[in-house]
Amino acid sequence: MGAEAIMSEHIAVTDTPEGIRLIRIDRPDKKNALTGAMYDAMRDALVKADASEVIGAIVFAGATGAFSAGNDLADFVAGTRKPFSDAPALQFIRQLARTRTPMIAAVDGIAVGIGTTLTLHCDLVYASPAARFRMPFVELGLVPEAASTYLLPRRVGLLKATEMLLLSRPFDADEALGLGLVNAVMPADLLLEHALAQGARLASLPRGAVQATRALIRGDQAAMEAALEAEAVAFEERLRAPEAQAAFAHFLGRAKPA
Ligand code: COA
């Protein structure tokens, strides 16, 4: 990483000799909940990976037992005072959707909210048996993000996507495997090694062919980004809604007695 890299104490970015950029989320005491500074550091790492001539794959990993508990809910509360269009979360999501370098996720433990929707943008996803996915946006008074309303129905079908997004139904590693949301389930101690090996393979292939094939597989980029932006408009409205504020306050232990 150059000296100009955006740093966060909870995001460790490491480049390997094989041309892999490892982005490790490292805030285990908060189950890897993501703050604005963490989103900024991850966005910067993606932008610079695309600009690099030596990085051929990106691997996202979390801490033991926590890939990510999603957006930091205290940040959601603080964020309602500013336009969502400037929010680091949205800037990260936009960059995630347009990153050209192939991306791999290694998911151990909980993957909530963006912890799950991030994986929909990854080209390969590996999970430990302890992986637990959940997108509780509606429960929180919000709407889904990261183009998940577009990507998920195309992966798992409309009815399964509705259960996951409208009912916030959790699913485990085996179900994710069955639904084609992960490539393989493997013991936690082999997970990162396997993801890095696949990253090394991707990084060793002709870069232009990898990026062009990836774009062809992914399909209609403009439609996916349009969904992402439509979600962002709805998300901003929802963030300010009393029901969302009440859900955040409840989690943060500040709910007033009834
Ligand atoms: N935002 C802020 N803090 C969070 C967080 C989040 N999204 N997720 C977890 N934390 C914090 C907890 O407040 C707790 O902090 P504390 O030790 O200072 O009290 C710490 O992380 C550990 O979480 P805890 O709830 O005790 O762990 P758990 O193993 O019992 O449960 C989760 C883990 C992920 C199921 C639970 O923390 C949870 O539901 N988090 C919220 C997930 C969420 O709604 N994310 C937003 C999606 S859009």
Side-chain angles (χ1 to χ4, degrees):
M1 297 286 290
E4 75 285 1
I6 296 178
M7 307 295 284
S8 160
E9 60 173 315
H10 300 302
I11 299 292
V13 180
T14 321
D15 294 344
T16 75
E18 295 80 20
I20 306 160
R21 171 155 294 181
L22 173 62
I23 301 177
R24 194 185 258 285
I25 308 168
D26 187 25
R27 196 189 178 206
D29 57 322
K30 295 288 180 185
K31 304 283 174 183
N32 278 355
L34 297 170
T35 62
M38 293 164 73
Y39 284 119
D40 282 344
M42 292 200 294
R43 178 182 49 77
D44 183 64
L46 295 181
V47 168
K48 291 190 175 126
D50 268 0
S52 160
E53 302 210 336
V54 294
I55 300 299
I58 294 160
V59 172
F60 286 101
T64 302
F67 183 66
S68 175
N71 203 108
D72 187 295
L73 290 170
D75 256 28
F76 266 157
V77 174
T80 51
R81 292 189 282 275
K82 299 175 212 145
F84 185 61
S85 53
D86 297 338
L90 182 58
Q91 306 297 341
F92 167 71
I93 284 168
R94 284 178 172 145
Q95 179 56 44
L96 185 69
R98 69 172 77 111
T99 293
R100 295 186 310 280
T101 308
M103 296 183 284
I104 301 173
V107 181
D108 178 32
I110 52 168
V112 185
I114 184 84
T116 294
T117 59
L118 180 158
T119 69
L120 300 175
H121 293 268
C122 291
D123 303 281
L124 298 167
V125 183
Y126 301 102
S128 78
R132 295 286 180 277
F133 299 90
R134 200 156 112 84
M135 294 171 281
F137 300 106
V138 174
E139 270 184 10
L140 288 168
L142 300 170
V143 294
E145 37 75 311
S148 53
T149 58
Y150 178 87
L151 294 170
L152 197 61
R154 281 164 180 75
R155 297 274 183 88
V156 304
L158 195 58
L159 294 180
K160 289 273 182 209
T162 299
E163 281 182 339
M164 292 168 174
L165 293 176
L166 205 50
L167 296 179
S168 308
R169 186 173 74 73
F171 52 102
D172 64 13
D174 284 339
E175 185 176 359
L177 181 66
L179 288 169
L181 292 173
V182 308
N183 291 84
V185 179
M186 63 192 64
D189 57 345
L190 303 180
L191 191 61
L192 184 58
E193 191 186 323
H194 184 77
L196 290 171
Q198 300 308 306
R201 171 78 181 128
L202 281 168
S204 72
L205 292 166
R207 188 185 183 80
V210 166
Q211 293 195 3
T213 302
R214 183 178 183 271
L216 288 163
I217 293 172
R218 286 160 60 90
D220 193 340
Q221 178 77 14
M224 187 261 283
E225 290 195 29
L228 188 159
E229 295 302 333
E231 290 169 356
V233 170
F235 199 96
E236 174 154 34
E237 285 173 17
R238 298 306 317 157
L239 266 180
R240 293 183 169 79
E243 56 192 20
Q245 293 291 320
F248 303 154
H250 179 76
F251 179 79
L252 297 170
R254 289 190 263 113
K256 294 192 183 76

